[in-house]
Amino acid sequence: MNSQKVCVIGCGYVGLVTGACLAEMGHGVVCVDNDRGKIKALQKGRIPIYEPGLDILVTKNRVRKRLSFAPSIKEGLKDAGIVFIAVGTPPRSDGSADLTFIESVAREIALNLQRYTVVIEKSTVPVETGEQVEKTIARYNRRRVSFDMVSNPEFLREGTAIHDFLHPDRIVIGVKSERAEKAMRDLYAPLKTKVLVTDLKSSELIKHASNSFLATKISFMNAVGRVCELVGADATQVAEGMGLDPRIGKSFLQAGIGFGGFCLPKDLEAFLYISKKVGYDFDLLRMVKDINETQRAHFVKKIEEAVWILKGKTIGLLGISFKPRTDDIRFAPSLDIIHRLQTQGAKIKVYDPVAMPKAKTVLNQATFCRNAYDAARGADCLGIVTEWPEFGELDFAKIKKLMENAIIVDGRNMLNPTRIKALGFEYKGMGR
Ligand code: UDX
């Protein structure tokens, strides 16, 4: 294999996973970040995020000397001919992405280019950002070192990011030159998967459109679920029947409390904003967003209907992270749900296998429990917010004894209603 020298700028979620996986593929990688504290921690082997398998991969490749960490772009570009930009693009209040970090990184790259370099945007950015980055680098690139701009969107899911990177269903590269295309093909050659080569803007749009489509699928199913409830049908059965059609596919058809996390809500918002900016009102996406938001209120309403008056009631909640196998609570439906319940005077007891340290920094007045049984003890209702597999393995006969009232509202449809009802619970799912 043709091993290459790569610099990854930004040691956040995307940057670290990208750096560690490229090193695992045999490339020499330097990950840089301007947060010196973070770099020092990484140099000592401490990983700032929770992602299954990432710590092992980082340690293994540090020992092999394929992966190192540095505090400046200058150091990162000393040997590298390929540089990934993986810095944050946080959302502004109007839905647009804040590209301040991208711009300053582009300037830094320009000032430190040593040789022909392929500059790759990996962060999720609005369409046309690649062109802006290219212009910025050209403007500050006083020594006229040649470079090529590439868009290479990531499709990593939190919790399975390492697997997603090393076994992708497609690699999308938006390029302007054959030289850059060859460099990218060589870089990813060990992965042996479909490589789709497009122009720069189409590649950027593939990311917007993919995530917005996934969000649309979820909201569509949630809307179907609302109809199911009204007519007495079961959304999980409807989804199964729909998903057997390969044109539809069975994934992303789980009705529930809606999508959260740092990508889907942000990317949906950004696509809405960009479409409007260029002259198209993508109203469908507004509905997708609205349906998603109403699902949380709907879940709270189900709890309220079950206990009648929320004020003074104890509600046990299982799960805080926006999905299982991550400690990420950014834009997690749980936060909104807890806030709504507390506003109505309910007392919250909550348990999550990994997200509690993060949740403690943002949640007030909730009682954090040692385990799921503790969260159920004395509760008037138990709500399932995140479908951690271990919640499916709980001893529900024991839970029934611990609860004040045996009521379960299953926001993720993860339990078998027949089995739970047979134990004497009142059970409510979503869309069934
Ligand atoms: C997503 C995309 O899947 C990934 O390709 C992209 O790069 C980043 O954004 P991620 O945010 O990690 O990944 O989570 P994902 O697994 O897509 O789930 C997003 C949200 O949708 C979660 O809150 C999940 O609970 C919810 N969801 C998912 C549903 O409510 N129903 C479903 O059927 C599927």
Side-chain angles (χ1 to χ4, degrees), residues 155-156 158 207 252-254 259-260 263 322-323 412:
F155 302 107
L156 310 174
E158 291 187 28
K207 173 72 191 206
F252 278 69
L253 286 182
Q254 281 159 34
F259 55 83
C263 287
F322 81 98
K323 67 173 195 178
R412 300 292 191 171

Side-chain angles (χ1 to χ4, degrees), residues 79-321:
D79 298 319
I82 291 187
V83 54
F84 280 89
I85 303 177
V87 294
T89 54
R92 292 208 192 93
S93 54
D94 61 0
S96 65
D98 181 349
L99 300 176
T100 319
F101 299 130
I102 299 266
E103 200 253 1
S104 70
V105 161
R107 275 187 283 136
E108 278 285 299
I109 291 174
L111 297 174
N112 291 290
L113 283 178
Q114 303 295 331
R115 62 188 64 72
Y116 168 74
T117 303
V118 179
V119 180
I120 306 154
E121 50 171 9
K122 194 75 179 161
S123 310
T124 300
V125 289
V127 61
E128 297 179 337
T129 302
E131 272 189 358
Q132 291 295 350
V133 171
E134 187 177 31
K135 270 190 209 155
T136 306
I137 296 179
R139 193 173 302 142
Y140 289 88
N141 177 10
R142 306 252 150 77
R143 287 175 293 122
R144 299 276 164 256
V145 184
S146 63
F147 74 98
D148 267 315
M149 193 65 215
V150 171
S151 157
N152 172 220
E154 54 86 14
F155 302 107
L156 310 174
R157 291 163 304 171
E158 291 187 28
T160 52
I162 307 277
H163 181 271
D164 291 349
F165 193 101
L166 296 174
H167 307 275
D169 32 37
R170 84 286 209 196
I171 290 170
V172 175
I173 47 178
V175 290
K176 284 178 143 183
S177 80
E178 278 177 18
R179 191 176 183 187
E181 178 184 336
K182 178 165 183 330
M184 294 304 287
R185 284 190 185 276
D186 286 351
L187 183 75
Y188 283 119
L191 295 187
K192 308 205 180 348
T193 190
K194 163 98 187 142
V195 176
L196 177 70
V197 181
T198 68
D199 60 79
L200 216 54
K201 288 181 196 169
S202 299
S203 167
E204 290 171 328
L205 267 175
I206 285 170
K207 173 72 191 206
H208 292 305
S210 298
N211 273 0
S212 297
F213 187 76
L214 291 172
T216 305
K217 245 185 137 179
I218 298 170
S219 279
F220 182 88
M221 203 57 226
N222 279 328
V224 171
R226 297 294 281 273
V227 179
C228 286
E229 285 178 10
L230 294 169
V231 301
D234 182 337
T236 60
Q237 293 179 29
V238 176
E240 196 180 346
M242 289 167 63
L244 288 172
D245 182 335
R247 291 170 304 173
I248 297 176
K250 63 181 168 35
S251 57
F252 278 69
L253 286 182
Q254 281 159 34
I257 52 174
F259 55 83
F262 199 56
C263 287
L264 257 47
K266 174 173 79 90
D267 293 356
L268 181 71
E269 196 78 57
F271 200 18
L272 245 171
Y273 178 88
I274 297 157
S275 310
K276 182 130 199 201
K277 196 172 147 205
V278 297
Y280 180 70
D281 197 355
F282 210 147
D283 242 353
L284 171 66
L285 299 185
R286 196 162 296 112
M287 281 306 295
V288 169
K289 189 179 148 193
D290 288 351
I291 292 170
N292 195 50
E293 274 157 23
T294 58
Q295 286 307 104
R296 297 154 186 196
H298 191 55
F299 176 73
V300 171
K301 185 104 187 106
K302 279 176 186 269
I303 295 178
E304 187 184 357
E305 277 166 9
V307 302
W308 187 25
I309 304 292
L310 275 168
K311 193 167 169 36
K313 296 281 164 53
T314 300
I315 309 298
L317 294 177
L318 299 185
I320 307 173
S321 57

